[in-house]
């Protein structure tokens, strides 16, 4: 008598562990009867028969003509491919059903609903991020009742984030926010996350988030985001060739956003004296007499984009 207890490998495709044990027994002795399988596995004949019927329905085994009935296992590669195709079809069917349920839900909820409680809010932010297919837009400002949404950086998903100056109070915050899709603005008016321009998450209090579906309100928030994006200053200027180093471009971007030398020094983790000295060098490099003039000339040369 043999004990078939290897680690299951077909559970992800909807095959229970006992069905897989019997399938492995068939692979070890093809073209065998129920009695022979009962002997090999140590199972009662009724139990073997029940799981044989399951293997037949899954396409993992077939029955040969004649008496007594004999059973032959399907080739594993072909059988697994068939099970995987069935699983994919079930996933597609479930997604279609979910879209119908979502449409019914939106019709009842007037295109918005409230998510309450820190745990439910954190879970909804996470789900929205994982479901993003094309684009995520973020308005970020303190205070934080839940962990801020983190970019997934999946292929094909772009992030654009506008940080309030108060969100980047430490040098480590500034380093983490450096990317082409991040900008900084004084006094960001609200918190917002919009996924694929179809789902909006709008915190209205520390423990309440309003979820918006396609609506005139969501359209208005999207227009607000684009206006703020134009007003905000890039945190990671492009590496275009010119008289400014990356560090110089970074400093000038923060200055253009309205930060004082003291605030810039704190965010960059350097001394205020260093900021002043570098700013004088930037003015000289751009042949400018004021910071405003330097910002204009850097923008014209593509150094702040």
């Amino acid at each position: 008598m043999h004990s078939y207890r290897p680690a299951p490998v077909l559970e992800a495709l909807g095959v229970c562990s006992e069905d897989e044990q019997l399938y492995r027994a068939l692979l070890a002795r093809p073209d065998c009867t129920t009695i022979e399988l009962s002997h090999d596995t140590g199972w009662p004949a009724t139990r073997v028969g029940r799981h044989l019927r399951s293997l037949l329905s899954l396409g993992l085994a077939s029955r040969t003509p004649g008496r007594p009935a004999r059973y032959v296992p399907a080739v594993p590669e072909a059988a697994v491919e068939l099970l995987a195709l069935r699983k994919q079809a079930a996933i597609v069917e479930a997604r279609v059903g979910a879209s119908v349920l979502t449409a019914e839900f939106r019709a009842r909820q007037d295109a918005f609903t409230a998510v309450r409680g820190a745990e439910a809010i954190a879970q909804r932010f996470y789900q929205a991020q994982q479901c993003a297919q094309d684009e995520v837009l973020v308005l970020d400002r303190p205070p934080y009742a839940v962990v801020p949404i983190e970019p997934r950086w999946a292929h094909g998903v772009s992030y654009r984030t506008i940080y309030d100056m108060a969100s980047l109070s430490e040098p480590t915050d500034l380093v983490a926010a450096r990317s082409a899709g991040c900008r900084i603005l004084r006094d960001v008016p609200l918190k917002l996350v919009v996924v694929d321009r179809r789902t909006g998450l709008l915190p209205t209090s520390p423990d309440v988030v309003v979820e918006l579906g396609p609506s005139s309100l969501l359209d208005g928030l999207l227009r607000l985001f684009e206006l703020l994006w134009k007003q905000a200053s890039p945190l990671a200027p492009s590496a275009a060739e010119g008289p400014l180093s990356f560090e110089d471009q970074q400093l000038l971007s923060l200055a253009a956003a309205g930060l004082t030398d003291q605030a810039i020094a704190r965010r960059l983790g350097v001394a205020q004296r260093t900021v002043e000295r570098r700013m004088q060098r930037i003015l000289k490099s751009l042949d400018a007499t004021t910071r405003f003039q330097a910002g204009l000339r850097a923008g014209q040369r593509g150094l702040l984009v």
Side-chain angles (χ1 to χ4, degrees):
M1 184 183 299
H2 300 285
S3 178
Y4 289 87
R5 297 182 182 276
V9 297
L10 299 179
E11 284 184 342
L13 296 175
V15 180
C16 74
S17 60
E18 290 189 338
D19 282 352
E20 183 172 337
Q21 288 180 50
L22 192 61
Y23 177 60
R24 288 176 181 267
L26 269 177
L27 290 174
R29 187 199 284 213
D31 196 33
C32 61
T33 65
T34 300
I35 299 300
E36 290 169 335
L37 284 172
S38 178
H39 176 268
D40 289 348
T41 60
W43 295 355
T46 53
R47 181 180 178 186
V48 171
R50 182 169 67 254
H51 288 288
L52 276 173
R53 289 191 293 273
S54 180
L55 292 181
L56 292 172
S57 66
L58 290 170
L60 290 173
S62 59
R63 177 178 174 174
T64 62
R67 296 282 183 177
R70 294 184 174 275
Y71 298 89
V72 178
V75 176
E77 184 178 6
V80 169
E81 182 66 21
L82 178 60
L83 290 172
L85 289 173
R86 289 176 178 172
K87 196 74 170 179
Q88 291 174 357
I91 291 173
V92 171
E93 184 177 354
R95 285 176 172 168
V96 172
S99 66
V100 174
L101 293 175
T102 299
E104 295 176 355
F105 175 75
R106 296 298 187 198
R108 291 195 302 269
Q109 297 294 324
D110 298 323
F112 73 89
T113 187
V115 182
R116 302 179 185 275
E119 183 176 348
I121 291 172
Q123 181 182 20
R124 188 65 192 99
F125 271 80
Y126 175 79
Q127 290 173 342
Q129 177 184 225
Q130 294 302 306
C131 292
Q133 298 295 318
D134 300 309
E135 181 185 46
V136 177
L137 308 177
V138 181
L139 293 178
D140 182 280
R141 59 167 296 166
Y144 298 112
V146 297
V147 177
I149 191 167
E150 294 292 338
R152 187 165 52 121
W153 304 124
H155 177 69
V157 178
S158 64
Y159 271 71
R160 284 196 291 158
T161 302
I162 302 175
Y163 289 100
D164 189 279
M165 288 184 184
S167 300
L168 307 176
S169 57
E170 300 296 334
T172 53
D173 297 331
L174 186 59
V175 171
R178 285 177 177 171
S179 77
C182 295
R183 296 191 175 188
I184 187 170
L185 182 69
R186 185 187 297 275
D187 296 329
V188 172
L190 50 82
K191 296 181 185 180
L192 177 68
V193 173
V194 180
V195 177
D196 295 335
R197 296 182 173 264
R198 294 187 56 82
T199 301
L201 298 174
L202 178 66
T204 58
S205 71
D207 60 349
V208 177
V209 167
V210 174
E211 180 173 346
L212 303 169
S215 60
S216 58
L217 177 56
L218 182 58
D219 292 341
L221 290 172
L222 286 169
R223 284 193 286 270
L224 172 64
F225 180 90
E226 296 299 343
L227 288 173
L228 295 176
W229 183 259
K230 292 179 181 179
Q231 297 174 16
S233 299
L235 274 171
S238 66
E241 294 184 0
L244 302 184
S245 66
F246 176 83
E247 290 75 13
D248 289 340
Q249 295 177 59
Q250 187 78 51
L251 189 154
L252 192 56
S253 293
L254 293 173
L259 274 71
T260 64
D261 287 351
Q262 183 179 11
I264 293 173
R266 186 169 60 252
R267 280 160 173 74
L268 296 180
V270 300
Q272 182 176 338
R273 179 77 176 182
T274 301
V275 172
E276 295 169 350
R277 186 169 59 252
R278 286 171 54 186
M279 183 58 71
Q280 290 302 316
R281 187 178 67 248
I282 291 172
L283 294 177
K284 184 177 180 180
S285 298
L286 295 174
D287 193 23
T289 56
T290 65
R291 295 187 182 193
F292 179 75
Q293 187 180 40
L296 287 178
R297 293 187 176 181
Q300 290 169 353
R301 298 183 189 184
L303 300 177
L304 296 181
V305 179

